[in-house]
Amino acid sequence: MIREKLAENIRKALMSARESGELAFENMPEIALDPPKNKAFGDFTTNVAMVLAAQSGGVPREIAARIVDKLGDAGGLVVRAEVAGAGFINLYVKPDWLHDVLRRIGVEGADYGHSNVGNGEKIQVEYVSANPNGPITVAHGRGAAVGDTIANLLAACGYDVTRESYINDAPNSTQMQNFGKSVHARYMQALGKDYPMPEDGYQGEYVMDIAKDIVKEYGEKFLDLPVDECVLKFTRMAEDEMLALQKQNLAQFGVKFDVWFSEATLHESGKVEKAIDELKKRGHAYEKAGALWLKSTAFGDDKDRALIRSNGQPTYIAADTAYHYDKFQRGFDRIIDCWGPDHHGYIARTKAAVAALGCDPDKLEVIIYQAVRLLSGGEIVMMSKRAGDVVLLSDLIDEVGKDAARFFFLMRSSDSTLDFDLELAKSESSENPVFYVQYAHARICSILRKAEDVGVAVPAAADVDLSVLTADGELDLIKKLAELPDLIAEAAAKREPHRLTRYAQDLAAIFHKFYTECRVVGDDEAVTKARLVVVKSTLTALANTLTVLGISSPDKM
RNA sequence: GCGGCUGUAGCUCAAUGGAUAGAGCAUCAGUCUUCGGAACUGAGGGUUAGGGGUUCGAGUCCCUUCAGCCGCGCCA
């Protein structure tokens, strides 16, 4: 588009200046063209003169002046080019580049903002990955929103994305055993027995619900079973129920996985053993104190990690190593794991394990999102699964709605802890950013309904004289629309979904301003038609942004 | 002790190494109120935690000090 054309012309100017001896440089610098922060600095600005000065010497402003001189009107694209500040070149582009933006949006529609930079590269995003011993909680919620949106972003950029969640269902894990014991204790209690909960048992209400379900279906049938056998049976039953519940919770949140990968199957299929054998074969495993260890220190980890305990049971790390080995064997070009903050210490060992297996650890990328604090009336709502006062994702959705929940989880950089203000999220006012954004969408729909009422159809951009668009409110809005493709590409590349929520808010604000300044459906037919194109284009860009975020675009509110 | 994240306006947070550090909320003052007022305009408010360094140029990169949160198992 326009920027490639401008960059090409700048390159030509540079070459020409070098040939005439006015500039000296060895390597053609990258031509960065950015919309300036301050619109008094033109439509696009480039720092190429300063880059050249740093590379080959010279005074930036003088270099800039020579480039401007050679650039001329850049083949008719540029109205004015000027040197500013420390050596920036500010370009004022002929206004019809904005018309191209509108025409492009009209043609691309729901694909506007998407690209093919991924070029079909196979990429896997793993997120949520909860223990199947309880419902999805608010703590999982951020991971679900972040992982899902990163997957959406990558898909929008032409990657071949696989969404996957790992089920931590290893039958001999202490967590799952504890869970089974808790269900068992509640079962006994539900039948009126005085039976103690295990130490570190799961106190959540849902455990009692599971027990009651078992009583309802089977009555006292399991009362005489040996405890161990009964616990195992209950673990399996409860796990199935929880997994189904988790899927339901996530579906309610707009999250669906292509693959649910069970840890238990890794043990059953012998893949854990195989991975361990491979590590032994490669000489990266050794025995000590009756246990088998991975020599992860040889690959940058702080200490070696146990693979098989002295009691013969494989550790979580062993299974996780087998899991990542399996991912690599499935042929992904890139693997992204999305983990909570308590897992940051596992990056080094997971990469070490992968490297020890002969896979490229650089293909494995781990995104750590920081914790969520729920605030209600300024007070922190406590979350602890075992204590039972956990906040469930389904409760949060019931409270504030799916859209607000997703938007709030995605508002901040993943690196920052997130304070989730419940009152704000459910307030139906302009203070609530998700309402502000959705309101803009609904308002546009309302304008389009109005146009329909008075019998004006929204024309195609190509059929309209767009040169009547000259007001600041109109031009600012179109410039914002023009940013979307770069924004999505950048948010995808940096794995930063929060750029989208910010863009949505900015776009909504600029639209509201436009709305105040520019009446759309009015007496002047030419202006009405052109503005309808602008409004419809805004609708498209806003809806596309919200779609990537997994948030609905309401026609009415 | 080791490691991670964070520290920016009264509050919550933005800012590919770029120009005068920006939004929202709150406060104060206004607009408009026939396309949805869930809107818009303006003002005040800053030593980007402190110190050093790198360079044309640092909130951003490096070093260091301080503060807050989190993690550091033959748990998962």
Side-chain angles (χ1 to χ4, degrees), chain A residues 9-257:
Chain A
N9 277 284
I10 292 171
R11 264 183 230 111
K12 275 190 210 158
L14 289 174
M15 297 299 286
S16 155
R18 181 161 70 177
E19 276 167 32
S20 65
E22 289 167 79
L23 283 180
F25 58 91
E26 283 199 19
N27 304 317
M28 176 64 67
E30 193 185 334
I31 311 293
L33 277 164
D34 296 311
K37 257 193 264 181
N38 187 333
K39 68 180 178 185
F41 297 145
D43 298 310
F44 295 97
T45 187
T46 180
N47 63 352
V48 67
M50 290 178 289
V51 173
L52 274 183
Q55 184 189 308
S56 317
V59 180
R61 285 190 66 106
E62 285 175 13
I63 295 174
R66 286 180 201 142
I67 296 171
V68 165
D69 186 48
K70 289 287 180 197
L71 183 64
D73 67 354
L77 293 172
V78 169
V79 174
R80 191 150 56 94
E82 55 192 28
V83 179
F88 294 98
I89 299 173
N90 293 335
L91 301 173
Y92 297 77
V93 181
K94 242 172 98 179
D96 58 0
W97 76 276
L98 292 173
H99 306 164
D100 289 340
V101 171
L102 295 176
R103 284 189 280 265
R104 180 177 171 191
I105 295 173
V107 170
E108 296 185 4
D111 288 329
Y112 178 67
H114 297 200
S115 67
N116 193 30
V117 296
N119 199 25
E121 191 176 299
K122 283 184 68 180
I123 186 161
Q124 185 212 42
V125 188
E126 182 211 327
Y127 50 106
V128 180
S129 299
N131 287 312
N133 57 14
I136 297 293
T137 68
V138 164
H140 299 122
R142 188 175 193 186
V146 168
D148 197 52
T149 305
I150 288 173
N152 290 346
L153 276 167
L154 292 168
C157 290
Y159 290 89
D160 177 7
V161 180
T162 299
R163 300 151 196 265
E164 182 156 325
S165 187
Y166 186 56
I167 311 167
N168 293 128
D169 57 359
N172 52 17
S173 78
T174 43
Q175 271 87 346
M176 290 311 291
Q177 285 179 359
N178 246 331
F179 178 52
K181 285 176 191 166
S182 303
V183 174
H184 176 252
R186 291 299 192 206
Y187 173 77
M188 300 303 273
Q189 291 168 7
L191 290 173
K193 310 285 179 198
D194 182 18
Y195 201 92
M197 280 293 274
E199 221 172 303
D200 299 328
Y202 286 74
Q203 305 290 339
E205 240 177 80
Y206 65 92
V207 180
M208 184 52 106
D209 293 342
I210 296 168
K212 283 179 181 162
D213 285 347
I214 295 174
V215 171
K216 201 188 283 174
E217 192 163 351
Y218 300 99
E220 301 191 350
K221 186 177 168 189
F222 302 119
L223 213 49
D224 300 326
L225 227 54
V227 173
D228 285 356
E229 203 176 310
C230 192
V231 166
L232 193 63
K233 197 171 193 65
F234 283 7
T235 307
R236 279 290 150 82
M237 292 167 71
E239 179 184 302
D240 288 347
E241 190 171 335
M242 287 303 100
L243 194 58
L245 180 62
Q246 289 185 352
K247 288 182 182 178
Q248 186 191 321
N249 292 161
L250 289 164
Q252 198 187 359
F253 198 49
V255 173
K256 264 197 168 163
F257 290 101

Side-chain angles (χ1 to χ4, degrees), chain A residues 294-342:
Chain A
L294 168 66
K295 193 152 182 46
S296 52
T297 47
F299 299 91
D301 197 5
D302 320 351
K303 41 179 126 171
D304 291 342
R305 308 291 169 179
L307 290 168
I308 299 182
R309 302 184 189 101
S310 46
N311 69 5
Q313 291 289 341
T315 61
Y316 172 81
I317 306 268
D320 206 40
T321 300
Y323 179 42
H324 282 88
Y325 195 33
D326 184 79
K327 289 189 187 189
F328 274 89
Q329 286 173 335
R330 276 188 269 163
F332 294 110
D333 297 306
R334 181 158 282 271
I335 293 162
I336 297 178
D337 287 356
C338 203
W339 295 345
D342 49 337

